[in-house]
């Protein structure tokens, strides 16, 4: 079971989305226990309520260009992740693996929003998966730890919002967005009209300070998201105009589009679409794909 969750209207000014994953009672093979994730500009806090999760560090088969693993013996795993994990924005796709059933939740925050509750600059946290206690303020850590002692009848995402909302009193809210491209557009406007964003250099520095990434890299996520949304809206009876899609999404050409999608997902567009349809390990991509169907 996997669910994509939207925050309350008030907390949508801090939280982009939540994801719950529960594989208890499901018979999965070792290869189906991999979890594939795209690169993301969001920062996340994850709870491992039951089971164990490892990040895939390297693949011993160097000619495995697809980065889709059939055998856990072919990869090098990290030590088990702690029960509370902070993940900074990720510039590359990532993979985790569980040796058995897992119950977990991740909450994706706008990086400039959660930065108010951290003790480290966002640039230092990019591409990192760290114990939350190493980076969070005491207040945020206490709120997150409460979920491990919540009443079992409470849904974890709702319980977190109840605990997190008082912490937001006095914090700077971010204008809510339903898509990454909407968030980046609003982020760009805020920086451009701030006192620190009057020159190009100041603009770039503020973007980097708030998100840990530069504006050019953030635009990649907009373009790839545009492609995913367009594919969802295009029916099977219509022939997909890849060259036109690449142009509309802001890519130089079709080849450029393929390279950038591979950069974010680790796979070619055709390979990714195939795996999303049939491979259990690509459950997260199906959640993302499903959100465009509703909009």
């Amino acid at each position: 079971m996997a669910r994509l969750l939207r925050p309350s209207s008030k907390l949508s000014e801090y939280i982009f989305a939540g994801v719950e994953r529960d594989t208890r009672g499901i018979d999965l093979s070792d290869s189906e226990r991999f979890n594939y994730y795209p690169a993301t500009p969001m920062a996340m806090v994850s709870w491992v309520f039951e089971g164990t999760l490892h990040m895939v560090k390297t693949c011993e088969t160097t000619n495995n260009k697809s980065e889709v693993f059939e055998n856990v013996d072919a990869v090098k795993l990290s030590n088990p992740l702690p029960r509370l994990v902070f993940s900074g924005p990720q510039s590359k796709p990532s993979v985790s693996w569980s040796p058995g059933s897992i119950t977990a939740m991740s909450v994706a925050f706008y990086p400039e929003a959660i930065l108010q509750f951290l003790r480290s600059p966002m640039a230092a946290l990019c591409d990192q998966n760290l114990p939350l206690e190493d980076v969070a303020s005491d207040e945020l850590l206490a709120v997150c730890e409460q979920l491990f002692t919540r009443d079992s009848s409470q849904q974890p995402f709702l319980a977190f919002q109840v605990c997190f909302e008082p912490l937001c009193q006095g914090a700077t809210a971010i204008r809510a967005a339903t898509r990454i491209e909407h968030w980046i557009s609003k982020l760009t406007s805020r920086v451009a009209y701030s006192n620190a964003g009057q020159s190009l250099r100041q603009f770039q520095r503020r973007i980097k300070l708030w998100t840990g990434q530069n504006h050019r890299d953030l635009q990649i996520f907009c373009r790839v998201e545009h492609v995913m949304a367009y594919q969802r809206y295009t029916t099977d009876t219509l022939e997909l105009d890849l060259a036109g899609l690449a142009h509309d999404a802001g890519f130089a050409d079709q080849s450029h589009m393929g390279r950038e999608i591979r950069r974010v997902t680790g796979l070619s567009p055709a390979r990714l679409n195939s795996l999303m349809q049939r491979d259990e390990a690509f459950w997260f991509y199906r959640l993302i794909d499903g959100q465009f169907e509703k909009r």
Side-chain angles (χ1 to χ4, degrees), residues 228-245:
M228 294 189 69
Y230 185 88
Q231 288 178 320
R232 164 54 63 180
Y233 286 130
T234 302
T235 66
D236 294 336
T237 60
L238 296 176
E239 183 177 352
L240 190 61
D241 178 9
L242 293 177
L245 175 57

PDB file of all heavy atoms in Angstrom, residues 228-245:
ATOM      1  N   MET A 228       5.955  14.824 -17.731  1.00  0.00           N
ATOM      2  CA  MET A 228       5.120  13.821 -17.063  1.00  0.00           C
ATOM      3  C   MET A 228       3.653  14.213 -17.097  1.00  0.00           C
ATOM      4  O   MET A 228       2.773  13.377 -17.322  1.00  0.00           O
ATOM      5  CB  MET A 228       5.594  13.628 -15.622  1.00  0.00           C
ATOM      6  CG  MET A 228       6.977  13.022 -15.497  1.00  0.00           C
ATOM      7  SD  MET A 228       7.392  12.571 -13.794  1.00  0.00           S
ATOM      8  CE  MET A 228       6.289  11.191 -13.521  1.00  0.00           C
ATOM      9  N   ALA A 229       3.374  15.505 -16.882  1.00  0.00           N
ATOM     10  CA  ALA A 229       1.988  15.960 -16.910  1.00  0.00           C
ATOM     11  C   ALA A 229       1.402  15.827 -18.311  1.00  0.00           C
ATOM     12  O   ALA A 229       0.257  15.389 -18.487  1.00  0.00           O
ATOM     13  CB  ALA A 229       1.909  17.408 -16.437  1.00  0.00           C
ATOM     14  N   TYR A 230       2.164  16.165 -19.325  1.00  0.00           N
ATOM     15  CA  TYR A 230       1.670  16.096 -20.706  1.00  0.00           C
ATOM     16  C   TYR A 230       1.368  14.657 -21.100  1.00  0.00           C
ATOM     17  O   TYR A 230       0.361  14.370 -21.745  1.00  0.00           O
ATOM     18  CB  TYR A 230       2.705  16.696 -21.650  1.00  0.00           C
ATOM     19  CG  TYR A 230       2.236  16.789 -23.088  1.00  0.00           C
ATOM     20  CD1 TYR A 230       1.538  17.915 -23.531  1.00  0.00           C
ATOM     21  CD2 TYR A 230       2.466  15.753 -23.999  1.00  0.00           C
ATOM     22  CE1 TYR A 230       1.097  18.007 -24.837  1.00  0.00           C
ATOM     23  CE2 TYR A 230       2.021  15.830 -25.303  1.00  0.00           C
ATOM     24  CZ  TYR A 230       1.336  16.960 -25.719  1.00  0.00           C
ATOM     25  OH  TYR A 230       0.892  17.044 -27.005  1.00  0.00           O
ATOM     26  N   GLN A 231       2.246  13.740 -20.686  1.00  0.00           N
ATOM     27  CA  GLN A 231       2.030  12.334 -21.020  1.00  0.00           C
ATOM     28  C   GLN A 231       0.760  11.810 -20.354  1.00  0.00           C
ATOM     29  O   GLN A 231       0.050  10.990 -20.928  1.00  0.00           O
ATOM     30  CB  GLN A 231       3.240  11.500 -20.596  1.00  0.00           C
ATOM     31  CG  GLN A 231       4.461  11.723 -21.465  1.00  0.00           C
ATOM     32  CD  GLN A 231       5.648  10.907 -20.991  1.00  0.00           C
ATOM     33  OE1 GLN A 231       5.901  10.774 -19.795  1.00  0.00           O
ATOM     34  NE2 GLN A 231       6.392  10.353 -21.925  1.00  0.00           N
ATOM     35  N   ARG A 232       0.460  12.286 -19.159  1.00  0.00           N
ATOM     36  CA  ARG A 232      -0.746  11.836 -18.479  1.00  0.00           C
ATOM     37  C   ARG A 232      -1.995  12.341 -19.196  1.00  0.00           C
ATOM     38  O   ARG A 232      -2.971  11.626 -19.333  1.00  0.00           O
ATOM     39  CB  ARG A 232      -0.721  12.339 -17.034  1.00  0.00           C
ATOM     40  CG  ARG A 232      -2.060  12.284 -16.294  1.00  0.00           C
ATOM     41  CD  ARG A 232      -2.686  10.920 -16.311  1.00  0.00           C
ATOM     42  NE  ARG A 232      -1.894   9.922 -15.643  1.00  0.00           N
ATOM     43  CZ  ARG A 232      -2.254   8.645 -15.544  1.00  0.00           C
ATOM     44  NH1 ARG A 232      -3.373   8.221 -16.106  1.00  0.00           N
ATOM     45  NH2 ARG A 232      -1.483   7.791 -14.915  1.00  0.00           N
ATOM     46  N   TYR A 233      -1.942  13.575 -19.704  1.00  0.00           N
ATOM     47  CA  TYR A 233      -3.097  14.149 -20.378  1.00  0.00           C
ATOM     48  C   TYR A 233      -3.281  13.616 -21.797  1.00  0.00           C
ATOM     49  O   TYR A 233      -4.357  13.730 -22.374  1.00  0.00           O
ATOM     50  CB  TYR A 233      -2.979  15.675 -20.434  1.00  0.00           C
ATOM     51  CG  TYR A 233      -3.227  16.346 -19.118  1.00  0.00           C
ATOM     52  CD1 TYR A 233      -2.325  17.282 -18.619  1.00  0.00           C
ATOM     53  CD2 TYR A 233      -4.353  16.051 -18.354  1.00  0.00           C
ATOM     54  CE1 TYR A 233      -2.550  17.914 -17.397  1.00  0.00           C
ATOM     55  CE2 TYR A 233      -4.579  16.675 -17.139  1.00  0.00           C
ATOM     56  CZ  TYR A 233      -3.669  17.605 -16.665  1.00  0.00           C
ATOM     57  OH  TYR A 233      -3.899  18.215 -15.465  1.00  0.00           O
ATOM     58  N   THR A 234      -2.238  13.025 -22.383  1.00  0.00           N
ATOM     59  CA  THR A 234      -2.321  12.513 -23.742  1.00  0.00           C
ATOM     60  C   THR A 234      -2.909  11.115 -23.723  1.00  0.00           C
ATOM     61  O   THR A 234      -2.415  10.225 -23.040  1.00  0.00           O
ATOM     62  CB  THR A 234      -0.923  12.466 -24.393  1.00  0.00           C
ATOM     63  OG1 THR A 234      -0.372  13.789 -24.364  1.00  0.00           O
ATOM     64  CG2 THR A 234      -1.015  12.001 -25.829  1.00  0.00           C
ATOM     65  N   THR A 235      -3.961  10.878 -24.473  1.00  0.00           N
ATOM     66  CA  THR A 235      -4.599   9.562 -24.491  1.00  0.00           C
ATOM     67  C   THR A 235      -3.789   8.594 -25.327  1.00  0.00           C
ATOM     68  O   THR A 235      -2.962   8.979 -26.155  1.00  0.00           O
ATOM     69  CB  THR A 235      -6.018   9.661 -25.069  1.00  0.00           C
ATOM     70  OG1 THR A 235      -5.928  10.038 -26.452  1.00  0.00           O
ATOM     71  CG2 THR A 235      -6.839  10.688 -24.320  1.00  0.00           C
ATOM     72  N   ASP A 236      -4.034   7.305 -25.125  1.00  0.00           N
ATOM     73  CA  ASP A 236      -3.317   6.276 -25.871  1.00  0.00           C
ATOM     74  C   ASP A 236      -3.627   6.321 -27.362  1.00  0.00           C
ATOM     75  O   ASP A 236      -2.884   5.789 -28.178  1.00  0.00           O
ATOM     76  CB  ASP A 236      -3.674   4.883 -25.321  1.00  0.00           C
ATOM     77  CG  ASP A 236      -3.177   4.698 -23.891  1.00  0.00           C
ATOM     78  OD1 ASP A 236      -2.227   5.397 -23.512  1.00  0.00           O
ATOM     79  OD2 ASP A 236      -3.764   3.866 -23.177  1.00  0.00           O
ATOM     80  N   THR A 237      -4.739   6.933 -27.731  1.00  0.00           N
ATOM     81  CA  THR A 237      -5.128   6.964 -29.144  1.00  0.00           C
ATOM     82  C   THR A 237      -4.413   8.068 -29.912  1.00  0.00           C
ATOM     83  O   THR A 237      -4.489   8.124 -31.133  1.00  0.00           O
ATOM     84  CB  THR A 237      -6.649   7.174 -29.266  1.00  0.00           C
ATOM     85  OG1 THR A 237      -6.993   8.415 -28.636  1.00  0.00           O
ATOM     86  CG2 THR A 237      -7.398   6.036 -28.607  1.00  0.00           C
ATOM     87  N   LEU A 238      -3.722   8.962 -29.188  1.00  0.00           N
ATOM     88  CA  LEU A 238      -3.014  10.044 -29.843  1.00  0.00           C
ATOM     89  C   LEU A 238      -1.523   9.738 -29.906  1.00  0.00           C
ATOM     90  O   LEU A 238      -0.941   9.267 -28.932  1.00  0.00           O
ATOM     91  CB  LEU A 238      -3.228  11.358 -29.085  1.00  0.00           C
ATOM     92  CG  LEU A 238      -4.663  11.890 -29.032  1.00  0.00           C
ATOM     93  CD1 LEU A 238      -4.714  13.135 -28.156  1.00  0.00           C
ATOM     94  CD2 LEU A 238      -5.171  12.212 -30.430  1.00  0.00           C
ATOM     95  N   GLU A 239      -0.943  10.000 -31.043  1.00  0.00           N
ATOM     96  CA  GLU A 239       0.491   9.792 -31.182  1.00  0.00           C
ATOM     97  C   GLU A 239       1.230  10.927 -30.484  1.00  0.00           C
ATOM     98  O   GLU A 239       0.958  12.101 -30.719  1.00  0.00           O
ATOM     99  CB  GLU A 239       0.884   9.753 -32.661  1.00  0.00           C
ATOM    100  CG  GLU A 239       2.358   9.457 -32.886  1.00  0.00           C
ATOM    101  CD  GLU A 239       2.706   9.358 -34.357  1.00  0.00           C
ATOM    102  OE1 GLU A 239       1.767   9.375 -35.182  1.00  0.00           O
ATOM    103  OE2 GLU A 239       3.901   9.281 -34.669  1.00  0.00           O
ATOM    104  N   LEU A 240       2.168  10.558 -29.617  1.00  0.00           N
ATOM    105  CA  LEU A 240       2.887  11.550 -28.836  1.00  0.00           C
ATOM    106  C   LEU A 240       3.936  12.242 -29.708  1.00  0.00           C
ATOM    107  O   LEU A 240       4.809  11.588 -30.277  1.00  0.00           O
ATOM    108  CB  LEU A 240       3.555  10.878 -27.628  1.00  0.00           C
ATOM    109  CG  LEU A 240       4.160  11.794 -26.570  1.00  0.00           C
ATOM    110  CD1 LEU A 240       3.077  12.673 -25.952  1.00  0.00           C
ATOM    111  CD2 LEU A 240       4.831  10.959 -25.483  1.00  0.00           C
ATOM    112  N   ASP A 241       3.836  13.543 -29.829  1.00  0.00           N
ATOM    113  CA  ASP A 241       4.787  14.342 -30.598  1.00  0.00           C
ATOM    114  C   ASP A 241       5.956  14.693 -29.682  1.00  0.00           C
ATOM    115  O   ASP A 241       5.937  15.709 -28.992  1.00  0.00           O
ATOM    116  CB  ASP A 241       4.096  15.600 -31.124  1.00  0.00           C
ATOM    117  CG  ASP A 241       5.039  16.500 -31.899  1.00  0.00           C
ATOM    118  OD1 ASP A 241       6.185  16.081 -32.172  1.00  0.00           O
ATOM    119  OD2 ASP A 241       4.631  17.635 -32.225  1.00  0.00           O
ATOM    120  N   LEU A 242       6.987  13.844 -29.678  1.00  0.00           N
ATOM    121  CA  LEU A 242       8.099  14.033 -28.754  1.00  0.00           C
ATOM    122  C   LEU A 242       8.884  15.298 -29.055  1.00  0.00           C
ATOM    123  O   LEU A 242       9.318  16.005 -28.143  1.00  0.00           O
ATOM    124  CB  LEU A 242       9.019  12.816 -28.795  1.00  0.00           C
ATOM    125  CG  LEU A 242       8.411  11.514 -28.261  1.00  0.00           C
ATOM    126  CD1 LEU A 242       9.397  10.363 -28.411  1.00  0.00           C
ATOM    127  CD2 LEU A 242       8.002  11.659 -26.807  1.00  0.00           C
ATOM    128  N   ALA A 243       9.077  15.597 -30.328  1.00  0.00           N
ATOM    129  CA  ALA A 243       9.809  16.811 -30.690  1.00  0.00           C
ATOM    130  C   ALA A 243       9.047  18.053 -30.231  1.00  0.00           C
ATOM    131  O   ALA A 243       9.632  18.992 -29.676  1.00  0.00           O
ATOM    132  CB  ALA A 243      10.049  16.844 -32.195  1.00  0.00           C
ATOM    133  N   GLY A 244       7.733  18.055 -30.461  1.00  0.00           N
ATOM    134  CA  GLY A 244       6.918  19.180 -30.017  1.00  0.00           C
ATOM    135  C   GLY A 244       6.869  19.289 -28.513  1.00  0.00           C
ATOM    136  O   GLY A 244       6.901  20.395 -27.956  1.00  0.00           O
ATOM    137  N   LEU A 245       6.799  18.143 -27.826  1.00  0.00           N
ATOM    138  CA  LEU A 245       6.776  18.138 -26.372  1.00  0.00           C
ATOM    139  C   LEU A 245       8.078  18.712 -25.814  1.00  0.00           C
ATOM    140  O   LEU A 245       8.069  19.504 -24.870  1.00  0.00           O
ATOM    141  CB  LEU A 245       6.565  16.712 -25.860  1.00  0.00           C
ATOM    142  CG  LEU A 245       6.641  16.486 -24.346  1.00  0.00           C
ATOM    143  CD1 LEU A 245       5.643  17.376 -23.621  1.00  0.00           C
ATOM    144  CD2 LEU A 245       6.389  15.018 -24.025  1.00  0.00           C
TER     145      LEU A 245
END
